[in-house]
Amino acid sequence: MKCVFVTVGTTSFDDLIACVSAPDSLQIIQSLGYNRLVLQIGRGKVVPEPFSTESFILDVYRYKDSLKEDLQKADLVISHAGAGSCLETLEERKPLIVVINEKLMNNHQVELAKQLHKDGHLFYCTCSMLPGLLQSMDFSTLKCFPPGQPEKFSAFLDKVVGLQK
């Protein structure tokens, strides 16, 4: 079973959930060989109908105490740009696409995603670019994030968010 896991954390990101569960996105996900899509939708108002066919399963839930199990089972993670979600995914060494929420203005999360992309750890895009990115991305170009160095990550975060020069 190849699985895509989508997480929005504790917030809501209806555009992302709507985009990734749209028929054309589902078709692309299936054409890439994935047969399971798990959506963690947080407080979202968009609640796709779970379904199961012979070739594909769509699961939907709001919250769990820990996303670790879903991250471990995933072959690809599509996440909002929350630092926690990004870090957890990278520490599990999973390919990651971060989707920027354009409705959040002055979003330091964008800076984080851009920097991690520049360093070769993840792909990022907006909702409208997601279907195209799914079709063109090449995981072999991604570098593993050095695991277990939270102090490096927090220093990196401070720099990105501008807490230190």
Side-chain angles (χ1 to χ4, degrees):
M1 266 252 162
K2 279 185 74 182
C3 177
V4 178
F5 176 54
V6 179
T7 176
V8 303
T10 53
T11 58
S12 64
F13 190 173
D14 286 342
D15 291 353
L16 172 56
I17 298 302
C19 169
V20 83
S21 61
D24 59 336
S25 296
L26 291 176
Q27 206 175 346
I28 292 166
I29 289 168
Q30 284 179 278
S31 73
L32 293 168
Y34 297 100
N35 40 25
R36 183 157 186 238
L37 175 61
V38 179
L39 304 176
Q40 183 266 315
I41 63 170
R43 293 199 309 256
K45 291 183 177 67
V46 173
V47 185
E49 197 59 46
F51 70 86
S52 174
T53 66
E54 273 178 30
S55 58
F56 199 79
I57 298 170
L58 174 66
D59 284 327
V60 180
Y61 68 90
R62 287 194 180 276
Y63 299 107
K64 280 184 187 169
D65 290 339
S66 164
L67 300 180
K68 199 168 181 63
E69 194 185 332
D70 285 309
L71 289 171
Q72 286 170 339
K73 285 183 183 161
D75 297 285
L76 166 64
V77 178
I78 300 174
S79 173
H80 73 126
S85 299
C86 292
L87 182 60
E88 257 189 284
T89 304
L90 292 171
E91 287 199 325
E92 289 293 338
R93 297 176 175 260
K94 299 296 181 173
L96 174 61
I97 298 175
V98 169
V99 181
I100 306 294
N101 189 342
E102 294 173 287
K103 290 183 179 158
L104 299 178
M105 292 316 287
N106 303 329
N107 191 344
H108 66 266
Q109 296 181 338
V110 177
E111 301 308 316
L112 176 66
K114 282 183 179 166
Q115 186 61 51
L116 287 168
H117 174 72
K118 211 169 82 182
D119 295 344
H121 300 303
L122 53 76
F123 298 110
Y124 78 97
C125 63
T126 56
C127 286
S128 59
M129 291 159 59
L130 182 61
L133 178 63
L134 282 169
Q135 288 172 298
S136 67
M137 63 190 174
D138 175 4
F139 292 148
S140 69
T141 62
L142 292 178
K143 301 185 192 96
C144 271
F145 192 73
Q149 298 174 306
E151 63 288 342
K152 274 196 177 157
F153 187 76
S154 56
F156 168 74
L157 209 53
D158 290 346
K159 199 172 81 192
V160 167
V161 183
L163 298 178
Q164 63 183 59
K165 296 293 168 265

